[in-house]
Amino acid sequence: MSVKILVIPGSLRTGSHNARLAALAVKELTLLDAEVTRISLQDFPLPIYDADTEARAGVPGNAVKLKQMMSVHEGVFIACPEYNASVTPLLKNTIDWVSRVRERGEAPLAVFKNRAFALGGASPNQFGGMRSIMAMRQVLEVGCGALVIPEYIAVPRANEAFDEKDDLADPRAAGALRNMLARLIEMSRLVGMTSNARVMA
Ligand SMILES: Cc1cc2nc3c(=O)[nH]c(=O)nc-3n(C[C@H](O)[C@H](O)[C@H](O)COP(=O)(O)O)c2cc1C
């Protein structure tokens, strides 16, 4: 049975390098026989997290919808743009809200703990979003208890990294992306099997 992977481009910008990386991940995951859903955070607008807003109005419906979208996938790939050497407000705010969703009878942060995550980034500079990827790893692993696979893809000089077919021009980078996604599929399958076993026990 094919593994379900959710792909989240972390940028809403027209012509986003990270949206391009996410689109390439969708193509490669499909070639690896995964069942892929790509979303846009444009469809899940959220206010900046504020505890008073949450106390007054509860968690916004879009955070609940996004959490439910994550719940029906065994793996998640997030393409992380980098702002000021860290994760962008859009991605951090999205994770913060989703971390506040707790449905009836559910353990805290269950949606992060019961699936595998992989991270990538693309940036015009020489670091390729590396610092954003590291910051996001901290948020997901340390903050939310997620399993984030060690493999990642950082695409430096993103304005010239993609060829005319929207593939990565550097064959080593293309290979690293494929390896990372194959590992994501493998780990998603394992995590999915162990969480199903826990539900059945
Ligand atoms: C406020 C701000 C800070 C930025 N800081 C960094 C940075 O620290 N490192 C970096 O590689 N790029 C930085 N950039 C450039 C972004 O990586 C670049 O805008 C990139 O295209 C954003 O990703 P996207 O193309 O997916 O939208 C910054 C951009 C903005 C607007």
Side-chain angles (χ1 to χ4, degrees), residues 11 13 15-19 81-86 122-125 127-129 131:
S11 172
R13 189 178 73 81
S16 156
H17 301 305
N18 286 279
E82 179 170 299
Y83 284 179
N84 294 319
S86 191
S123 128
N125 83 4
F127 300 119
R131 289 140 343 151

Side-chain angles (χ1 to χ4, degrees), residues 79-156:
C80 307
E82 179 170 299
Y83 284 179
N84 294 319
S86 191
V87 66
T88 57
L90 173 68
L91 270 181
K92 180 65 165 60
N93 190 54
T94 300
I95 299 295
D96 288 346
W97 270 121
V98 172
S99 75
R100 303 297 297 167
V101 181
R102 192 166 167 195
E103 291 177 86
R104 199 183 294 272
E106 196 173 57
L109 301 169
V111 76
F112 294 98
K113 293 177 178 167
N114 292 339
R115 54 209 21 85
F117 290 79
L119 301 176
S123 128
N125 83 4
Q126 72 275 25
F127 300 119
M130 182 66 197
R131 289 140 343 151
S132 176
I133 293 168
M134 296 304 288
M136 194 61 168
R137 180 179 292 280
Q138 175 169 330
V139 169
L140 290 173
E141 278 186 351
V142 184
C144 302
L147 171 78
V148 183
I149 63 166
E151 295 82 357
Y152 61 89
I153 180 80
V155 181

Side-chain angles (χ1 to χ4, degrees), residues 12 26-27 37 43 67 83-84 104 109 137 148 184:
L12 307 179
V26 170
K27 184 166 102 178
T37 313
D43 298 326
K67 182 256 178 187
Y83 284 179
N84 294 319
R104 199 183 294 272
L109 301 169
R137 180 179 292 280
V148 183
L184 174 63

